[in-house]
């Protein structure tokens, strides 16, 4: 009897246990929320959340195409898409135009990156909207920073592509995207100018805490407003896009906004020019108070933690210390005045066989020229060597000053085909590449996106285009020139006073040399509509040397062989190319290193805007294409 | 009769068989008459043969024993072996099961054996006539297979299950279990893609690729618990079962869509305590390596390339280059004026050693049995500082607690230590050693510093002087099952298992100094660094299961009902720091300002109810129903649960009365069919949620203020909370046949697997700025077939067997809502990752040919690859090749995969020969693996066969610099290289010491063997490249070679 009971009881108990266990397991065992991530619903309701969200929006300034820890901000290529800069090979660069931009990887990625950046901003702004009352002024300030960033990203979209899809809120999976077409650029610009004005109200002129160095302040908000308005004014005045559509009244309106925005920075921000121009572009220099006062917006890098390094310098070195893929051109070199403040063809003291002495000091701050000493800082080793376009050996000096001759890898050897002599035209970028203070492979200097000098020039240019040329205009330009010891514009040529054409020439020239390689000239060339004029000739460089005899080890310097007639022509006075300082080398072209033979054939006015990437139009066929690119 | 040769006998035998086959449907009584003559002849022949043999061996006076050997059912056993015990005197039975044997004494004992039957010993006891009944060997007829949550008799199985015995895998003497499984089962595609120590496990696909975005790997369960099979010690594996069709796998529901691999570990056996030692030592060599050219060949090729591309070379430059070439030919490198560095030789070892030692202890009484093992594996890599060591312990115990309760426990601990150089990865170092230019620098310069190589990258220095990455992995599993038998045939069992896996890494980066021609060039990498990392996975597994079986006359039923839940929490953290000026690499010594840390965690849970009903009538009509109701935390509440049912049925035709006439040779004929639905939920945690993250796939989003980091948060994806499981349905049709009691076996299967609701992220326009959400949109289909054929037999002391398997599967995307991916890897109507490219038409003959033919760009020259214009629609530019000229060229998958295993034993020797191959496969290599000079690389000798006007049919187009050669190396039929192969995968030759000798030296057994892996390969692939390896990496064509191995091994039983 007992046995039987146990036989029946046991299974019953077991079964009950089974059921209990199974039911107990049902409760909330499967409810697993993210542990180290955050759920997006109702997230941006605190200052701290908005602050970290803002950092995610700033992060897009890095513009890294390759996502591999080390960054290459793509905007640093933009100058190479103008005749002032070149990339490694002929006929492969966007600047030369021999490729189909509709399917170009870089164009597509820039489009994608900029919109990713816009969406980052939209997500935080939209997410924080219901909780604005719960934020302190610090939280609202972060939202204003994000608005400025969004305007900055949209400014590039409009400048590069014209009419673009314009979203100020995040998209959702259920949205009907085909309803989102391209918004006319003027509508976008109006919205942004207004939004920047509003954002500025929530931002301070200066941050009291040094921890906020690098954060967007009121002067950046006004600075971007000024830049965008200046661009828009030029587009309206000189023509937008392939067909050069104009709108003079609107242009005046925009120039007025540009001038007033710049003016308020000049008058109220307390920003100043840094007495040392090179300090603006080195790691140590940028951390001085004077440089911080001029550099308004930058992509900031750090040597802290797992270093945020960038590869800007890695691709701009002599082959002796690194790699090279981007070079300046003769045309840019020839924009720099002599130290007398004159264009090279106008100054009798300028010698074709000694072209780099007595020039605007900014030439040597910006470009390495033949005979210049390069500071190499690579792999924990620092030394110097002399740049030499003409000799298979170069002099090099160790830190103690001992001289040795070393192989000139740009001249011959397996990598010379990529060097500045065989791939470039005899020049290297020096701006950012002066390595006294850090290793060129792991550079952490900041890349400057906006500085006070630009504001001064923007102010001057807007006022000149408005034909309101007064003392504040001369002063703005002279401040920039004076910092590097260049003579005042009216001292050099008093007839400039009140002459709109001459003033336009000098402010444009100043912009070209002061802001060279700062990712602005692509937009300047477009808005000044200089594309066809500037791309009329191939890319030129150093003069060839004659009488080379390797067997006797004779390697003459080509520059010192240059004859007096080897000075470029800027055509006759008052012509467009004269007024825009566009040199021609045709007269002695055969004596010069030449690249991009077909440059003139490849220019087309459609390049005033890039095409909407083909992959984007495959996904969104409702987007129209820009003029000149087959639909 | 004397005239009969052995060949004739065999011919007679085969005549005999075919006649038997052809009379299946005839009246049984007639058949012997028809065959009497030949039968008698055969009988005579066999008798003659064995008498002859026996006479040779034995001089003794013989007496005759006659008899018949029958099976349980009284059916004659043909070909049974009868041996007089202690002699080699023997004979085989004829078709009537009869035999006649001359024995030395009527007091002897006869040993009677036949494949598929239990061996018996029968004392003659003076009888001159014997009738012997052989019992069917349970192993063959009652062979059981491990299936989901149970074991089933193979004979009545209705699903599609392949199994392989653990001892067979152990024979392969390889480090990873997945590699050992290669070729053993049809429909299971296993490819060893790398030979890197600690990472040489193979990739496994069961019945084709099962998803586009979710996991395509099968579920691997070791004793019911999810685990990495490559971390197992192979000597502990009892069996491996692969559940291929929906019927067998659906009891694993939402994790079973890619098939299930069940691994069972060995358990203790009742009996005397037995200790076994097994050990082997292996020499590993790469199966293949490309052959880079020397300095002068490179320099000559470079000059030729410039000339070929029309690049102007000044006379001075030419003169210098030619002099350099002459010097390089005439003089040895002096590492000052001339470098000719053989980076391959300097960096890569000729061979590497691997050895493995295992001690097993097993035994027990009727109440307690244990199996315990300890093993150690040490595998060396092909470069310095690259190795893998693994130690495994396991204890499996079984205890009978009461008459109605049993406890089984499993516990295992694994610790593995893998080492690799501090800088770069072993794979990248090996490849840099293969393609780095010989002219750049010496491996070590004359001043004693390392050579500067390519901007400081020097593979030899990276391997031996750049520090050390050490990864220590530990794995602890502890669990047990309590089984209670409340009533006869009713078991209730509860299982719990705990699994903790820890990965601990310690990576030290030490810069090495470089020089070039006496000048110090600085150090690479620039700075010292230490990374300390920790990751942990905790898993809990609970199961409660009830099994009941009830037999009523010929009706047999069994029921399984179960509940199971499991959870998994993953967490990790890591810190990196620099500034170790004094070289003691611990975090307390570094520069705190350079430190950065990270950490994250995620968890997941599954809950399931499962059940199975088996019904069979007379072991003839078989039916099985499975179902699983699964809940996953990867979906939101309302979509969380899914039901995955399956049904399968079988008909054992051979048991039908009308088949009686064939029973003497057709032991089993079964047809079976199954259909079921499976799920796939393996797309990662929180896929339904829109999350805000600071890190995604290793990418972080900080910004820097005041030169210091600020954490950045981003929302990367649009979210779709409504996502559901991926579902697959599979139909399986199969035939199993066994002849002559297991001597010949055949299985053929055909399946159609449809995968629906595939989770895809259909691309959004960039302007949304977000990455797309998951959506259940895609469908695809895998269709395939599998054949297995086996034959085994024994003739006296000689036993042998052959198994052959062959399979193929075809994949097709059936629906993507019209989406076509930009690279065409996803196009409806074509396989996933299909190759799309141009068709080629040789090379351009001359400039006229260039001018008149379509081309990709203006860089075309004579000797460039010529492409065919496919798109000739109106408006197409006929002289331009563009995207519209790309056509489908094939898929990247292995087709017609086969494995052939031959094994033979003679007396104390055993031999296994295993051939594995792929009948059709194509690989497109890129970068360095394909293009001469790619990424500044050296040439490989096979690339020297390039086009010149005198060599118009060269393998490669005209040699030009990389910058000019893009048009030539487009994905096209020319570069889709044939990667099919046939490979002598494994050979084992063993010798087992006879028992008599063993007992003298007090051993229970001793076996020695030699074996080899990947001994010979026949392939048309690129010279120097192995067709099986996977090629990828930043510069293309990178790989870690897989190994050819030579092993000597020893098994001792005490």
């Amino acid at each position: 009897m007992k046995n039987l009971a146990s036989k029946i009881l046991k299974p019953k108990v077991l079964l009950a246990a089974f059921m209990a266990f199974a039911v107990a397991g049902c409760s909330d065992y499967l409810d697993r929320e993210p542990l180290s991530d955050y759920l997006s619903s109702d997230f941006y309701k605190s200052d701290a959340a908005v602050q970290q969200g803002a950092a995610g929006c700033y992060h897009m300034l890095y513009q890294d195409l390759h996502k591999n820890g080390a960054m290459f901000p793509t905007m640093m290529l933009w100058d190479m898409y103008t005749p002032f800069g070149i990339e490694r090979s002929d006929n492969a660069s966007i600047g030369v135009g021999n490729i189909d931009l509709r399917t170009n990887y870089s164009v597509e990625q820039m489009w994608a990156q900029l919109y990713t950046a816009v969406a980052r901003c939209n997500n935080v702004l939209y997410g924080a909207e219901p909780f604005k009352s719960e934020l302190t002024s610090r939280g609202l300030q972060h939202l204003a920073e994000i608005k400025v960033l969004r305007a900055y990203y949209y400014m590039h979209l409009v400048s590069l592509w014209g009419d673009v899809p314009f979203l100020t809120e995040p998209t959702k999976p259920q949205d009907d995207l085909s309803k989102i077409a391209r918004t006319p650029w003027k509508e976008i610009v109006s919205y942004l100018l207004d939004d920047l004005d509003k954002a500025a109200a929530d931002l301070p002129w200066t941050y009291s805490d040094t921890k906020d160095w690098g954060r967007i302040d009121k002067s950046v908000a006004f600075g971007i407003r000024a830049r965008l308005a200046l661009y828009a004014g030029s587009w309206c005045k000189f023509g937008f896009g392939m067909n050069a559509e104009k709108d003079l009244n609107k242009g005046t309106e925009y120039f007025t906004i540009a001038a007033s925005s710049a003016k308020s920075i000049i008058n109220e921000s307390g920003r100043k020019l840094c007495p040392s121009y090179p300090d603006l572009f080195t790691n140590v220099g940028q951390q001085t108070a004077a440089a911080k006062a001029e550099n308004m917006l930058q992509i900031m890098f750090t040597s802290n933690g797992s270093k945020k390094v960038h590869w800007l310098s890695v691709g701009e070195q002599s082959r002796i210390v690194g790699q090279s893929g981007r070079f300046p051109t003769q045309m840019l070199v020839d924009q720099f005045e002599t130290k007398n403040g004159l264009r090279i063809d106008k100054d009798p003291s300028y010698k074709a066989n000694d072209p780099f002495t007595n020039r605007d000091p900014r030439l040597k701050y910006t470009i390495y020229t033949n005979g210049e000493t390069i500071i190499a800082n690579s792999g924990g080793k620092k030394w110097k060597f002399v740049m030499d376009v003409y000799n298979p050996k170069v002099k090099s000096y160790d830190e103690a000053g001992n001289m040795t001759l070393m192989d000139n890898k740009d001249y011959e050897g397996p990598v010379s085909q990529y060097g500045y002599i065989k791939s470039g035209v005899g020049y290297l970028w020096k701006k950012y590449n002066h390595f006294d203070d850090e290793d060129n492979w792991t550079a952490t200097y900041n890349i400057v996106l906006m500085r006070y000098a630009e504001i001064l020039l923007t102010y001057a240019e807007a006022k000149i285009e408005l034909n309101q040329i007064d003392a504040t205009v001369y002063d703005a330009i002279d401040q920039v020139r004076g910092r590097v010891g260049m003579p005042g514009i009216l001292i050099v040529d008093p007839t400039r006073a009140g002459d709109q054409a001459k003033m336009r020439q000098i402010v444009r020239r100043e912009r070209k040399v002061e802001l060279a390689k700062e990712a602005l000239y692509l937009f300047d060339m477009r808005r000044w509509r200089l594309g066809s004029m500037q791309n009329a000739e191939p890319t030129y460089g150093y003069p060839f040397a004659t009488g080379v005899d390797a067997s006797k080890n004779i390697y003459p310097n080509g520059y010192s062989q240059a004859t007096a007639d080897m000075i470029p022509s800027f055509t006759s006075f008052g012509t467009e190319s004269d007024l825009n300082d566009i040199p021609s080398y045709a007269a002695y072209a055969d004596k010069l290193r030449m690249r991009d033979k077909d440059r003139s054939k490849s220019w087309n006015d459609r390049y005033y805007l890039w095409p909407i990437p083909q992959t984007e139009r495959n996904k969104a066929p409702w987007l129209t294409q820009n003029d000149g690119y087959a639909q | 009769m004397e005239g009969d040769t052995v060949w004739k006998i065999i011919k007679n035998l085969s005549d005999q068989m075919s006649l038997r086959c052809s009379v299946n449907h005839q009246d049984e009584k007639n058949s012997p008459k028809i065959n009497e003559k030949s039968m008698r002849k055969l009988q005579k022949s066999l008798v003659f043969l064995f008498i002859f043999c026996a006479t040779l061996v034995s001089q003794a006076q013989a007496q005759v024993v006659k008899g018949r050997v029958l099976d349980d059912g009284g059916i004659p056993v043909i070909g049974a072996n009868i041996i007089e015990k202690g002699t080699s005197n023997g004979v085989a039975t004829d078709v009537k099961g009869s035999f006649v044997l001359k024995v030395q004494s009527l007091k002897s004992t006869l040993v009677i054996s036949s494949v598929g039957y239990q061996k018996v010993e029968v004392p003659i006891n003076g009888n001159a006539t014997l009738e012997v009944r052989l019992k069917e060997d349970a192993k063959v007829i009652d062979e059981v297979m491990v299936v989901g949550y149970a074991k089933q008799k193979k004979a009545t199985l209705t699903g599609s299950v392949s199994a392989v015995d653990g001892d067979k895998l152990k024979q392969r003497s390889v480090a990873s279990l997945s590699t050992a499984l290669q070729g053993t089962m049809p429909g299971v595609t296993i490819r060893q893609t790398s030979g890197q120590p600690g990472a040489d496990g193979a990739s496994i696909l069961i019945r084709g690729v099962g998803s586009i975005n979710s996991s395509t790997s099968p579920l691997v369960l070791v004793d019911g618990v999810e685990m990495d099979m490559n971390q197992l010690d192979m000597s502990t594996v009892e069996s491996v079962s692969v559940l291929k069709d929906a019927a067998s796998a659906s009891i694993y529901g939402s994790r079973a869509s890619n098939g299930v691999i069940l691994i069972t570990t060995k358990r203790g056996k009742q009996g005397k305590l037995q200790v076994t030692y097994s050990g082997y030592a292996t020499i590993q060599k790469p199966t293949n390596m490309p052959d880079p050219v020397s300095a002068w060949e490179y320099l000559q090729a470079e000059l030729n390339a410039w000339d070929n591309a029309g690049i102007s070379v000044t006379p001075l430059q030419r003169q210098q280059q030619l002099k350099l070439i002459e010097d390089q030919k005439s003089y040895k490198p002096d590492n000052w004026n001339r470098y000719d560095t053989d980076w391959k030789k300097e960096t890569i070892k000729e061979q590497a050693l691997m050895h493995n030692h295992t001690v097993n202890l097993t035994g027990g009484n009727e109440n307690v049995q244990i199996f315990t093992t300890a093993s150690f594996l040490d595998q060396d890599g092909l470069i310095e500082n690259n190795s893998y060591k693994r130690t495994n312990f396991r204890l499996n115990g079984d205890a009978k607690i009461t008459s109605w309760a049993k406890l089984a426990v499993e516990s295992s601990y694994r610790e593995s230590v893998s080492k690799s150089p501090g800088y770069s990865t072993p794979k990248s170092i090996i490849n840099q050693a293969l393609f780095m230019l010989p002219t750049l620098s010496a491996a070590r310069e004359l001043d004693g510093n390392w050579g500067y190589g390519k901007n400081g990258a020097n593979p030899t220095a990276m391997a031996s002087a750049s520090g050390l990455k050490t990864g220590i992995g530990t794995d602890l599993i502890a669990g047990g099952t309590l089984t209670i038998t409340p009533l006869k045939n009713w078991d209730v069992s509860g299982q719990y298992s705990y699994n903790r896996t820890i990965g601990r890494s310690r990576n030290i980066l030490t810069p090495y100094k470089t020089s070039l021609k006496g000048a110090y060039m600085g150090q690479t990498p620039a700075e010292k660094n230490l990374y300390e990392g920790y990751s942990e996975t905790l898993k809990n597994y609970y199961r409660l299961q009830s099994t009941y079986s009830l037999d009523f006359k010929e009706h047999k039923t069994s029921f399984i009902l179960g509940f199971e839940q499991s959870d998994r929490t993953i967490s990790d953290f890591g810190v990196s720091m620099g500034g170790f000026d004094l070289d003691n690499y611990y975090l307390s010594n570094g520069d705190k300002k350079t430190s950065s840390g990270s950490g994250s965690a995620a968890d997941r849970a599954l809950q399931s109810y499962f059940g199975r009903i088996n019904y069979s009538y007379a072991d003839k009509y078989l039916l099985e129903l499975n179902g699983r109701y699964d809940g996953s935390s990867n979906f939101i509440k309302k979509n969380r649960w899914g039901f995955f049912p399956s049904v399968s049925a079988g008909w054992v035709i051979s048991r039908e009365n009308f088949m009686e006439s064939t029973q003497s040779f057709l032991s089993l004929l079964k047809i079976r069919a199954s259909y079921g639905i499976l799920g796939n939920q393996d797309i990662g945690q929180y896929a339904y949620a829109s999350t805000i993250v600071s890190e995604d796939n290793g990418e972080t989003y900080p910004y820097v203020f005041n030169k210091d980091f600020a954490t950045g948060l981003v929302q990367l994806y649009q979210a779709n909370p409504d996502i559901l499981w991926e579902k697959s349905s599979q139909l399986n049709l199969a035939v199993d046949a066994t002849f002559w009691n297991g001597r010949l076996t055949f299985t053929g299967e055909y399946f159609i697997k449809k995968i629906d609701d595939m989770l895809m992220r259909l691309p959004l326009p960039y302007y949304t700025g977000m990455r797309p959400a998951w959506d259940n949109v895609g469908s695809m289909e895998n269709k395939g077939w599998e054949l297995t054929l086996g034959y085994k037999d024994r003739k006296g002391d000689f036993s042998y067997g052959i198994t052959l398997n062959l399979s193929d599967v075809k994949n097709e995307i059936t629906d993507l809502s019209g989406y076509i991916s930009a690279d065409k890897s996803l196009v409806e109507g074509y396989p996933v990752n299909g190759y799309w490219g141009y068709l080629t038409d040789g090379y351009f003959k001359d400039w006229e040919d260039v001018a008149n033919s379509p081309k990709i760009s203006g860089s075309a020259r004579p000797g460039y690859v010529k492409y065919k214009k496919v798109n000739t629609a109106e408006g197409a530019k006929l002289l331009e090749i563009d995207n519209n000229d790309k056509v489908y060229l094939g898929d990247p998958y292995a087709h017609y995969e086969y494995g052939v295993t031959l094994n033979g034993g003679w007396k104390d020797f055993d031999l296994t020969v295993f051939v594995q191959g792929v009948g059709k496969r194509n690989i497109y290599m890129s970068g360095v693996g394909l293009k001469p000079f790619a990424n500044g690389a050296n040439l490989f000798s096979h690339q020297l066969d390039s086009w010149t006007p005198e060599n118009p049919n060269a393998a490669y187009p005209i040699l030009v610099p990389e910058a000019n050669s893009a048009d030539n190396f487009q994905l096209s039929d020319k570069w889709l290289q044939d990667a099919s192969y046939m490979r002598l995968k494994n050979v084992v030759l063993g010798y087992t010491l006879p028992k008599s000798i063993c007992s003298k030296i007090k051993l229970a057994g001793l076996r020695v063997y030699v074996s080899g892996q990947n001994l010979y390969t026949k392939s048309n692939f690129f010279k120097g490249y192995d067709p099986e390896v996977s090629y990828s990496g930043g510069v293309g064509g990178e790989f870690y070679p897989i190994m050819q191995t030579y092993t000597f091994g020893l098994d001792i039983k005490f």
Side-chain angles (χ1 to χ4, degrees), chain B residues 272-328:
Chain B
K272 191 171 143 277
L273 207 61
Q274 189 167 61
V275 177
T276 313
Y277 165 82
S278 308
Y280 63 78
T282 297
I283 295 168
Q284 318 171 84
K285 289 173 154 184
T287 53
N288 221 339
M289 290 270 229
D291 174 28
V293 303
S294 62
W296 81 263
E297 286 172 299
Y298 167 73
L299 291 165
Q300 184 67 56
E302 185 184 45
L303 187 59
N304 295 347
W306 290 335
D307 289 343
N308 290 340
I311 292 169
S312 66
V313 180
T314 62
L316 179 71
Q317 230 181 329
R318 181 178 306 277
Q319 181 198 328
Q320 283 167 342
Q321 186 103 351
L322 288 171
K323 180 164 186 323
L324 204 53
I325 292 166
E326 273 318 301
D327 287 353
Q328 287 281 16

Side-chain angles (χ1 to χ4, degrees), chain A residues 7 10-11 14-15 17-18 21-23 25-26 29-40 43-44 49 51-53 55-56 58-59 61-62 67 108-109 111-112 115-116 119-120 123 145 165 167 171-173 177-178 180 210-215 283 286-287 292 298-308 319-323 378-381 383 406-407 409 411-412 414 417 422 439 441-442 444-446 548 550 555 615-616 619-620 622-623, chain B residues 298 302 306 316-317 319-320 404 437 439-440 452 455 484 486-487 490 492 516-517 519-524 526-527 540 542-546 561-563 565-570 576 593-596 599-607 609 631-633 635 637 640-641 686 688-695 699-716 718-720 763-771 773 822 936 961-962:
Chain A
K7 258 185 186 170
K10 256 182 283 169
L14 285 165
L15 201 62
F18 177 90
F21 184 48
V23 171
C26 274
Y29 188 71
L30 295 178
D31 293 337
R32 308 268 164 162
E33 286 206 345
L35 295 177
S36 56
D37 301 341
Y38 308 98
L39 276 179
S40 62
F43 178 70
Y44 289 111
Q51 181 175 330
Q52 296 202 359
Y58 275 101
H59 176 89
L61 288 174
Y62 291 121
K67 299 197 184 359
E108 180 182 332
Q109 284 307 304
W111 168 273
Y115 270 112
T116 304
R120 293 262 166 95
N123 277 325
E145 291 167 51
L167 298 154
T171 54
K172 297 177 200 67
L177 293 176
S178 68
I180 302 169
T210 53
K211 279 186 180 164
D212 287 323
W213 175 39
R215 215 169 261 295
N283 190 30
Q286 285 171 344
Q287 300 188 50
K292 285 183 185 174
Q298 55 253 300
I299 317 176
M300 198 175 280
F301 295 85
T302 180
S303 57
N304 284 0
S306 62
K307 281 186 177 184
K308 203 90 189 161
R319 279 275 151 188
I320 293 173
V321 281
Q323 302 182 352
S378 173
K381 183 197 170 197
W383 86 105
M406 69 184 301
D407 289 347
K409 289 199 201 170
Y411 186 89
E412 64 181 20
Q417 54 174 314
K422 292 184 177 172
D439 186 310
W441 285 87
T442 54
T444 60
Y445 55 79
N446 303 331
V548 179
Y555 297 100
T615 47
E616 183 75 330
K619 287 181 282 183
W622 51 88
L623 295 185
Chain B
Y298 167 73
E302 185 184 45
W306 290 335
L316 179 71
Q317 230 181 329
Q319 181 198 328
Q320 283 167 342
W404 48 269
L437 295 185
T439 52
L440 286 177
Y452 187 55
N455 292 317
I484 290 169
L487 290 172
W490 184 28
V492 177
L516 190 63
K517 296 187 185 179
Y520 173 56
M521 299 296 288
Q523 53 187 31
T524 304
E527 285 158 28
N540 288 297
Y542 314 83
R543 175 174 62 96
L544 196 58
Q545 182 179 333
S546 161
L561 186 66
F563 167 77
Q565 68 179 24
S566 62
D567 55 82
R568 183 188 74 184
T569 309
I570 300 173
S576 141
K593 245 176 74 179
T594 64
S595 76
S596 70
S600 67
D603 71 349
R604 181 184 96 173
L606 283 168
Q607 224 168 33
Y609 300 86
S632 164
S633 67
F635 305 97
K637 231 167 200 160
R640 193 170 273 167
W641 291 89
Y686 324 126
Y688 63 88
S690 84
T691 53
I692 291 177
V693 301
S694 61
E695 187 265 328
E699 204 185 338
T700 56
Y701 307 92
Y703 191 65
V704 171
F705 295 108
N706 197 33
K707 289 291 189 187
D708 207 353
F709 283 105
T711 303
L713 290 177
V714 299
Q715 183 182 341
L716 297 166
Q718 287 194 344
N720 179 2
L764 280 171
Y766 289 125
Y767 68 72
T768 59
M770 304 275 279
R771 302 183 197 165
E962 192 202 4

Side-chain angles (χ1 to χ4, degrees), chain B residues 187 751 783-787 806-810 894-897:
Chain B
F751 65 88
K783 282 185 190 166
W785 49 265
E786 295 156 5
L787 297 175
L806 175 67
S807 63
D808 190 31
V809 55
K810 284 196 171 57
H895 290 288
Y896 309 110
E897 291 179 275

Side-chain angles (χ1 to χ4, degrees), chain B residues 490-504:
Chain B
W490 184 28
D491 284 345
V492 177
S493 55
Q495 183 183 3
Y496 170 72
S497 172
Y498 171 77
N499 180 354
R500 187 191 68 187
T501 306
I502 291 175
R504 171 85 171 79

